[in-house]
Amino acid sequence: MTALETDLLIIGAGPAGLSAALSAAQGGAAVLLADLGPGPGGQIWRGAKASDGGESGTLLRGVQRQPNITALYGAQVALSERGPQGGHAVQFSTPQGPRRVLAQKIILASGATERFLPFPGWTLPGVVGAGGLQAMVKSGLDVRGARVLVAGSGPLLLAVAAGMRAAGAEVVGVAEQASPTRLLGFGLAAQRGGKVGEAAKLLWALRGVPYWPATYPVEASGGERLTQVELGGLTRRTLECDWLAAGFGLVPDTRLAALFGCALEGGAVKVGAWQQTSQPGIYAAGELTGIGGVDKARLEGSMAGYTATGQVERLRDLPTQLEQARHFQASLSRSFALRPSLRTLPAAGTLICRCEDVPHAALQACPSWTEAKLQTRCGMGTCQGRVCGPAAETLYGWTFTGVRPPLLPLPLADLLGE
Amino acid sequence: MAEHAVVIGAGIVGAACAASLARLGHRVTVIEAGPVGGGATAAGMGHLVVMDDSPAQLALTSRSLELWAELAPRLPVAADYRTCGTLWVASDAEELAGILPKQAAYRTAGRAAGVLDAAELARIEPELRGGLCGGLRVPGDGVVYAPVAARFLLEHSGAALVRARVVNLAERKVRLDNGQTLAAEWVVVAGGAGASELLPDLPLRSRQGHLLITERGGPQVRHQLIELGYLKSAHASDADSVAFNVQPRPSGQLLIGSSRQFGRVSKEPDWPLLRRMLARAADYLPGLRRASALRIWTGQRSATPDHLPIIGPHPDRPGIYLALGHEGLGITAALGTAEVLAADLGGPASPLSAHDFGLRRFERQAVHA
Ligand SMILES: Cc1cc2nc3c(=O)[nH]c(=O)nc-3n(C[C@H](O)[C@H](O)[C@H](O)COP(=O)(O)OP(=O)(O)OC[C@H]3O[C@@H](n4cnc5c(N)ncnc54)[C@H](O)[C@@H]3O)c2cc1C
Ligand SMILES: Cc1cc2nc3c(=O)[nH]c(=O)nc-3n(C[C@H](O)[C@H](O)[C@H](O)COP(=O)(O)OP(=O)(O)OC[C@H]3O[C@@H](n4cnc5c(N)ncnc54)[C@H](O)[C@@H]3O)c2cc1C
């Protein structure tokens, strides 16, 4: 296997990774930007093109114009080891086979995943993650005329509902578990954070769609696939629908950082003032250091891009801007804090880990994530707890740890380097 | 009146010892700093295997297999206990020559063992590469998923489980990191590699190993397969070594070992050594190249100078009983270890008492060396 050599490897080409690439390349460093998706953009700008208007187009054009940025798409990190001359050797799986990248420094920008909290019936076809349905529609799923119920928590629900409506679906309602007072708090913070325009646009797009605060899904039912959803909380009712798009907030996707041995804190990658992690030469930026949205991701990406390439003179007022963005992040997590009663949604037999068929009752008997893994095989499947890890953290108060290489199943021949 | 016994460590050895003590009528408290079965017990392969490097090892492992067979009907399904047998594979004339003495040794221990020629070997395990010389099939060997077995033993012993770390051992007393002190007639140290922190003078060294589990869909094998060169390559020296050792899981996955390495304690794999291990496995089982790696991990075996465990009262510290240093055989030997403990503490006699597992043996060995 031949190796690609670079000064800086950036993993993740969302807002954070793209900003990092641009900042780093300004100093002349050779940058390799890798993402498992077919192109740049990450979650929010999935499918974006350099010809687009707005922020994403400007950023993509900037990245494209830098001759010292090389992009590697369709590339998923499998494992990492020490490089032959120091630094890191990272192995990617790509549709063209394995690729090895030798890098002196690394910026991790792998974003967030959506937290899904299990309730009876959640494994029925038709029940999907909110962001998941959004991604499916962006990749071509036809939802025209389909009845979609959006439920869970967080600002993403509104974006998803608006997206479904724009794609021709009939959005039957949006159920938000947070209470109206907390939501008001968020509204005020958004106003201070200059997000009013965005919010107004979303609300306009969703005019006429019922919005139920302090309400959450209690049970999904149907035969072969979903036909109805029972809501509980403030608004109790049963609704007929074809899709339930549910999400209970975003959580940092720390599996990649854990593979690199970076220390975590409160479920996020721990970073210093310059975005450096606990591992020498490895930086982290964006959602994986704490959920804060696109602005925080961009600023952290720039910061990491500059500091990883020794361009501190270019930081200017970045630290101050970042502080403001993180303020917004704190109000976000306060407003959408999950209500304790959500922990009682699963029934004894409700599956928590779908890969290994582990029910709620088996996990309730365990004192920790590690012991649950050992005794019940929870999180031992291919995804390494991507879905059940964050759910278990919320349901049982555990800390999700113990990622092992490879991050995705890897043919032994590739591992052997044949 | 029931005497109080404390067991340090809820690995497979500590759990088996707790069960033994409870059967003797002791009131038992097990102290565990981490998850139940989460130490070496979680990292191990769970191969229940008779080994004949020394008479004591042969006695301990063969008696332990009898005890596993007695326990088996009571184990929960999730313990995945099966007697798939071991198939020792010979790749050259030298290894082939070792088969007959090995068979004879197994037979003296009452364990069935059948010699296979090259053609029979290829017939019962067709995924093995061509050109092998023959093998020894030991049908009574098996596998178990040890973390579940440890939890089962612990729960059925009725022992109390205290989740804390023992920070100090005094005469008939242990102090915990939560400030508590527990008094006990006996303190059984079954802390695996962690025991060295409490008793730094023990002759223990960590010997790291790697394991890899595949996704379903690799080659199908029936037995746990091990190369006979294992003895040459893995035990002989202190150098890093690898050997072909593959176990079929009930799920259709394969567990691939093994490597041995002193002086390295890290959760991060040693990639060059891991590749050597895999190349060796794929040499014997070419179809492995079609399989995909699902997970790779490392674990620590706690080894003594003569590769036998230390089982017995501490010669200088009254009230302390040692059950540790099992290296790569602690899952197998846990039940035999617990039987020796019972015999030493006034329980039923054990055939294993004829062998010397005590700490003092190292002083004697040093004198004779
Ligand atoms: C499902 C979902 C939907 C969202 N929808 C919206 C929305 O509509 N509007 C909005 O404002 N915000 C949305 N967000 C929030 C979003 O996280 C931020 O707005 C912003 O995209 C964060 O930027 P980032 O660069 O930190 O991460 P991301 O944009 O998530 O980028 C991370 C990138 O890393 C790549 N990656 C991850 N792991 C690996 C790996 N092992 N190997 C290679 N590449 C890897 C991913 O493919 C991804 O492209 C969504 C988040 C999620 C999880
Ligand atoms: C890669 C590998 C493969 C192996 N394969 C096999 C195999 O196929 N067959 C086989 O028979 N054996 C195998 N082994 C060996 C086997 O795993 C070990 O010998 C066995 O698990 C040891 O069990 P234990 O209970 O003594 O130790 P552990 O399982 O390590 O348990 C010790 C426990 O004590 C606790 N502890 C330590 N100190 C303290 C303290 N101060 N206070 C409180 N608690 C404490 C620890 O947290 C730990 O849980 C393998 C080992 C490795 C590493």
Side-chain angles (χ1 to χ4, degrees):
Chain A
M1 204 188 325
T2 54
L4 304 162
E5 285 186 48
T6 186
D7 298 324
L8 176 67
L9 167 65
I10 299 174
I11 304 170
L18 288 166
S19 306
L22 194 58
S23 307
Q26 282 167 16
V31 176
L32 190 99
L33 178 61
D35 199 296
L36 59 87
Q43 291 293 356
I44 179 169
W45 299 331
R46 188 185 296 268
K49 290 181 296 292
S51 54
D52 292 348
E55 251 191 321
S56 59
T58 314
L59 190 53
L60 286 174
R61 282 192 296 280
V63 167
Q64 232 172 38
R65 269 198 298 270
Q66 288 287 342
N68 45 339
I69 300 178
T70 312
L72 184 65
Y73 294 119
Q76 193 167 354
V77 175
L79 56 91
S80 161
E81 58 192 292
R82 198 171 318 140
Q85 271 99 42
H88 307 266
V90 181
Q91 187 164 326
F92 289 88
S93 289
T94 80
Q96 291 77 39
R99 290 284 181 279
R100 209 171 143 84
V101 175
L102 302 179
Q104 287 311 314
K105 297 208 168 152
I106 298 182
I107 296 176
L108 306 174
S110 54
T113 58
E114 200 167 29
R115 175 170 28 221
F116 194 97
L117 291 184
F119 43 83
W122 75 277
T123 51
L124 272 177
V127 182
V128 288
L133 186 60
Q134 187 185 36
M136 283 153 73
V137 168
K138 283 189 193 172
S139 326
L141 176 77
D142 188 358
V143 287
R144 276 175 301 176
R147 293 161 304 173
V148 179
L149 172 64
V150 180
S153 196
L156 183 59
L157 296 187
L158 295 178
V160 171
M164 291 306 121
R165 205 176 206 197
E170 179 200 335
V171 179
V172 297
V174 177
E176 162 63 61
Q177 62 87 37
S179 68
T181 34
R182 296 227 171 174
L183 290 172
L184 188 64
F186 178 69
L188 295 173
Q191 198 171 15
R192 278 195 302 276
K195 303 267 174 193
V196 178
E198 272 170 56
K201 242 189 277 173
L202 274 179
L203 291 177
W204 177 247
L206 288 172
R207 64 198 182 283
V209 171
Y211 183 81
W212 301 297
T215 301
Y216 43 84
V218 175
E219 180 159 8
S221 48
E224 298 278 283
R225 60 172 285 132
L226 177 75
T227 52
Q228 63 179 34
V229 176
E230 185 190 334
L231 293 177
L234 195 61
T235 305
R236 292 159 196 263
R237 64 179 64 186
T238 300
L239 293 159
E240 305 277 310
C241 57
D242 306 303
W243 294 96
L244 168 57
F248 292 83
L250 301 177
V251 284
D253 187 351
T254 55
R255 289 169 305 153
L256 182 66
L259 182 80
F260 281 94
C262 302
L264 309 181
E265 191 174 61
V269 180
K270 194 175 160 185
V271 288
W274 288 4
Q275 302 302 129
Q276 75 277 27
T277 69
S278 66
Q279 289 291 333
I282 302 186
Y283 299 72
E287 300 286 59
L288 74 165
T289 72
I291 301 304
V294 59
D295 296 343
K296 171 186 164 288
R298 290 201 55 180
L299 294 167
E300 286 194 351
S302 297
M303 172 74 96
Y306 287 134
T307 55
T309 53
Q311 306 180 71
V312 276
E313 73 284 358
R314 285 208 158 104
L315 292 182
R316 292 196 202 95
D317 67 339
L318 256 181
T320 336
Q321 289 186 42
L322 247 176
E323 202 167 318
Q324 282 163 7
R326 289 193 182 126
H327 224 75
F328 182 65
Q329 164 189 349
S331 84
L332 193 75
S333 57
R334 268 197 309 276
S335 304
F336 294 98
L338 297 177
R339 55 180 61 233
S341 60
L342 295 176
R343 296 201 198 120
T344 62
L345 289 184
T350 305
L351 292 186
I352 308 295
C353 173
R354 241 177 142 156
C355 301
E356 298 290 337
D357 288 347
V358 186
H360 181 49
L363 294 175
Q364 279 179 300
C366 297
S368 69
W369 170 256
T370 316
E371 203 152 326
K373 263 170 74 168
L374 286 173
Q375 296 295 338
T376 69
R377 307 190 49 78
C378 183
M380 298 278 235
T382 313
C383 80
Q384 299 227 28
R386 187 178 60 85
V387 178
C388 65
E393 287 197 323
T394 305
L395 292 176
Y396 315 113
W398 297 339
T399 307
F400 168 46
T401 56
V403 169
R404 297 271 179 276
L407 266 192
L408 78 169
L410 186 65
L412 246 55
D414 291 358
L415 190 48
L416 284 167
E418 286 164 351
Chain B
M1 207 194 89
E3 286 177 337
H4 188 211
V6 158
V7 178
I8 303 176
I12 190 72
V13 174
C17 289
S20 234
L21 289 164
R23 233 176 290 128
L24 288 183
H26 289 283
R27 183 167 67 82
V28 186
T29 304
V30 176
I31 303 167
E32 172 54 63
V36 170
T41 299
M45 219 176 188
H47 185 202
L48 302 175
V49 56
V50 178
M51 296 282 289
D52 63 333
D53 294 348
S54 64
Q57 190 189 56
L58 179 62
L60 179 62
T61 53
S62 55
R63 175 65 188 145
S64 292
L65 263 102
E66 289 170 18
L67 295 169
W68 275 108
E70 280 170 29
L71 178 67
R74 289 189 286 134
L75 285 173
V77 179
D80 278 345
Y81 172 87
R82 281 176 317 142
T83 47
C84 57
T86 303
L87 192 53
W88 295 89
V89 180
S91 65
D92 60 23
E94 188 193 345
E95 288 170 14
L96 195 61
I99 284 189
L100 287 177
K102 195 171 175 70
Q103 181 189 36
Y106 280 61
R107 289 198 170 156
T108 58
R111 307 300 297 178
V115 176
L116 307 175
D117 64 20
E120 287 165 323
L121 183 65
R123 193 173 48 76
I124 67 168
E125 290 292 1
E127 294 276 359
L128 283 170
R129 74 165 156 83
L132 294 168
C133 301
L136 183 69
R137 184 168 170 266
V138 185
D141 284 0
V143 298
V144 71
Y145 179 61
V148 166
R151 180 160 101 161
F152 169 83
L153 286 166
L154 192 65
E155 284 179 353
H156 285 252
S157 73
L161 175 64
V162 173
R163 296 200 182 252
R165 175 172 296 280
V166 176
V167 289
N168 188 261
L169 275 179
E171 199 173 325
R172 304 192 197 280
K173 265 207 291 275
V174 294
R175 203 171 74 237
L176 310 185
D177 61 353
N178 62 16
Q180 221 184 327
T181 298
L182 296 181
E185 210 52 41
W186 281 103
V187 176
V188 178
V189 183
S196 292
E197 282 170 36
L198 297 172
L199 297 165
D201 294 335
L202 293 175
L204 295 177
R205 282 204 292 166
S206 280
R207 206 172 187 188
Q208 180 166 292
H210 290 84
L211 285 178
L212 180 151
I213 188 152
T214 66
E215 275 201 302
R216 293 174 183 95
Q220 296 292 309
V221 303
R222 298 201 196 102
H223 301 82
Q224 174 123 7
L225 301 172
I226 314 186
E227 60 169 296
L228 272 160
Y230 184 78
L231 307 170
K232 288 185 284 184
S233 71
H235 280 304
S237 78
D238 272 12
D240 297 355
S241 63
V242 297
F244 166 58
N245 187 344
V246 166
Q247 176 184 111
R249 300 295 308 152
S251 55
Q253 295 168 283
L254 294 171
L255 203 48
I256 307 176
S258 62
S259 69
R260 291 178 183 243
Q261 188 176 26
F262 281 117
R264 187 177 192 274
V265 178
S266 170
K267 287 202 159 161
E268 171 74 4
D270 177 334
W271 294 98
L273 188 66
L274 177 85
R275 290 196 176 91
R276 253 175 75 195
M277 178 182 108
L278 294 177
R280 183 115 192 138
D283 175 41
Y284 278 85
L285 212 53
L288 277 182
R289 288 190 168 77
R290 297 194 308 270
S292 282
L294 182 63
R295 217 80 93 219
I296 298 162
W297 66 94
T298 63
Q300 301 299 328
R301 310 174 181 92
S302 186
T304 68
D306 64 2
H307 308 290
L308 284 172
I310 301 169
I311 313 168
H314 195 295
D316 311 316
R317 308 272 309 259
I320 293 182
Y321 193 98
L322 305 172
L324 35 77
H326 291 80
E327 196 168 341
L329 284 172
I331 296 168
T332 302
L335 299 185
T337 300
E339 187 180 83
V340 174
L341 166 75
D344 284 347
L345 268 52
S350 163
L352 294 173
S353 302
H355 298 272
D356 183 7
F357 294 106
L359 180 60
R360 273 271 145 79
R361 74 177 186 271
F362 298 108
E363 289 167 27
R364 284 194 287 275
Q365 285 167 6
V367 171
H368 293 294

